[in-house]
Amino acid sequence: MNNALNLQTGLQAQEQQMPNSSSISEFLLLPLADTRQLQLLHFWLLLGIYLAALLGNGLISTAVACDRRLHTPMYFFLLNLALLDLGCISTTLPKAMANALWDTRAISYAGCAAQLFFFVFFFSSELSLLTIMSYDRYVAICKPLHYGTLMDSRACATMAAAAWGAGLLNSLLHTASTFSLPLCQGNAVNQFFCEIPQILKLSCSESNLREVAFLIFTISLVFGCFVFIVVSYVQIFMAVLKMPSEKGRHKAFSTCFPHLAVVSLFLSTAFFAHLKPPSISFPLLDLTVALLYSVVPPTLNPIIYSMRNREIKHALRKVLLYALIQLQ
C-alpha cells in the first residue's frame, strides 16, 4: 500500500515538473549566433536577402500584372508563384530578423501557431502550383494544338484556386493536429522558425501518432507531385529533342530548365529536412537545410525565371522606365 502511494506521489510530482501545452505561453527559437556582433551581422544579411526577395518578386508581380503581353497561362502561374514566395519568406524572416536585432529568442504560443500555419499554407500551395506549372509546360510543348482549349482563362483560374485551396486545407489539418498535442519536452524549438518536425520533438512520445500519420499522408502527396513533375518533364524532353528547329529546342529548354531547377531545389531540401534520420539531426544541419528550402527558393525564383526570359526582361524595363519617369 505504501509502495503504491509512493508511486502515485512520484508520478504526480513528475507531471507537475513536466510542462504541457496549456502551461506554455511562448517558445524559444534557435539563435542564429552566440555573440552580439554575429547577431547583428546575421540581421543585416537576412535583411538584404529579404529585401532582394521582396524586390524581385514584387517586380515580377508588377510586370506580369501591368504588361498585357504577359497575360498568358505561363505568366499567370508565375504571378501566383511570386505572390506565394512573398508570403513564404515573409512568414519566417521578419521574426528571425527581429530576434537577431533585439537579442531575443522568444515567440508567443499564438505567434508560433500562426507562423506554422502560414508557412505550411504557402509551402503546400507552392508545391501544388509548381506541379500545375509542369502540366502547363507539358501541354504547351507536347499538345500545342490543344493548348488554347486545355489552358483557357477559366481552367487556369480554377487550377490556381485549387492550388491555394489545397495549401489552406493542408495547413489547417497540420496546424490543428500539431498544436492539439500535449507538449512535454519543454519549449525550446531547435529552428529559427516554428517547424512541424521541431514541434513534434517537444510532444509526448505516445501522443504524436496522429500528426505523424498526417505527415506520412502529406509526404505521399508530395511524392505523387514529384512523380507527376518527373513524368511530365520526361515527355517534354522527348518532344523537344524531336523538334527539327534548333531555335525551337532552345526556346523550349529555356522555359523548362528554370522550372526544373526550382522544383529540384525546393523538393530535395524539403524531403531531406522532414525525412532525414534523427541520428544525423543537429542544429547547424537543420538550420542550413531550413534556409535552403524556406529562404533560398523565394529569393532565387525571380532571378531564375527572369534571367533568360526576354518577355520578362522587356516588361521589367518598361516598369522601371515608367517608375523613373514618375519620379522625375
Side-chain angles (χ1 to χ4, degrees):
M1 185 70 176
N2 291 333
N3 291 336
L5 289 174
N6 291 335
L7 179 59
Q8 184 178 4
T9 304
L11 289 173
Q12 289 175 351
Q14 185 178 5
E15 288 176 358
Q16 290 176 356
Q17 293 175 357
M18 187 177 295
N20 55 50
S21 55
S22 62
S23 64
I24 293 177
S25 61
E26 66 178 18
F27 292 93
L28 299 178
L29 299 176
L30 181 70
L32 295 176
D34 297 328
T35 65
R36 187 60 184 151
Q37 291 78 7
L38 284 177
Q39 285 178 341
L40 293 176
L41 177 62
H42 281 103
F43 166 76
W44 289 110
L45 179 62
L46 292 179
L47 179 62
I49 293 173
Y50 185 56
L51 292 177
L54 290 182
L55 179 63
N57 288 290
L59 285 175
I60 284 185
S61 302
T62 305
V64 174
C66 296
D67 195 329
R68 290 188 176 183
R69 292 185 302 174
L70 300 184
H71 291 180
T72 63
M74 184 177 74
Y75 294 110
F76 170 73
F77 294 131
L78 184 58
L79 169 63
N80 280 266
L81 181 65
L83 294 177
L84 289 171
D85 282 337
L86 285 173
C88 189
I89 200 167
S90 296
T91 302
T92 57
L93 282 196
K95 183 58 180 177
M97 289 188 294
N99 284 356
L101 181 62
W102 302 111
D103 190 19
T104 181
R105 297 173 55 190
I107 182 172
S108 67
Y109 187 92
C112 184
Q115 191 177 61
L116 189 146
F117 170 81
F118 283 110
F119 181 76
V120 175
F121 168 54
F122 290 120
F123 187 89
S124 303
S125 300
E126 183 159 339
L127 174 61
S128 300
L129 188 69
L130 289 172
T131 306
I132 292 170
M133 292 174 72
S134 70
Y135 174 72
D136 170 70
R137 292 297 84 209
Y138 164 75
V139 175
I141 293 173
C142 299
K143 298 181 181 297
L145 298 179
H146 302 282
Y147 186 76
T149 304
L150 295 175
M151 302 299 294
D152 60 5
S153 58
R154 184 174 181 179
C156 292
T158 301
M159 286 188 282
W164 288 78
L168 178 61
L169 178 61
N170 190 44
S171 181
L172 285 171
L173 290 175
H174 279 294
T175 306
S177 177
T178 301
F179 283 92
S180 66
L181 300 174
L183 306 179
C184 310
Q185 308 295 330
N187 66 337
V189 180
N190 291 324
Q191 191 53 271
F192 74 98
F193 66 97
C194 289
E195 187 185 39
I196 290 177
Q198 302 301 329
I199 300 294
L200 290 182
K201 291 180 181 179
L202 306 179
S203 66
C204 303
S205 58
E206 294 87 2
S207 59
N208 61 3
L209 295 178
R210 181 177 53 186
E211 176 57 27
V212 170
F214 276 130
L215 278 175
I216 292 174
F217 176 71
T218 301
I219 289 169
S220 301
L221 291 179
V222 170
F223 184 73
C225 291
F226 174 72
V227 171
F228 182 88
I229 292 171
V230 169
V231 171
S232 297
Y233 273 98
V234 168
Q235 297 188 58
I236 287 171
F237 291 146
M238 290 175 61
V240 169
L241 292 175
K242 294 179 182 178
M243 290 182 177
S245 170
E246 183 178 351
K247 185 178 180 180
R249 290 196 299 269
H250 180 269
K251 183 177 180 180
F253 279 129
S254 67
T255 59
C256 292
F257 274 123
H259 179 255
L260 196 57
V262 170
V263 172
S264 300
L265 177 64
F266 189 70
L267 290 183
S268 60
T269 51
F271 268 127
F272 184 77
H274 291 82
L275 297 180
K276 68 180 185 299
S279 58
I280 61 171
S281 177
F282 51 91
L284 181 59
L285 177 63
D286 292 342
L287 177 63
T288 303
V289 172
L291 287 170
L292 285 176
Y293 82 83
S294 66
V295 175
V296 174
T299 307
L300 292 185
N301 278 352
I303 300 174
I304 292 174
Y305 278 105
S306 63
M307 187 167 53
R308 300 182 63 184
N309 191 302
R310 292 181 181 179
E311 289 82 3
I312 288 286
K313 288 181 180 179
H314 180 72
L316 287 176
R317 280 195 292 266
K318 288 176 61 177
V319 169
L320 293 175
L321 181 60
Y322 179 79
L324 290 174
I325 292 175
Q326 294 298 315
L327 289 175
Q328 293 176 355

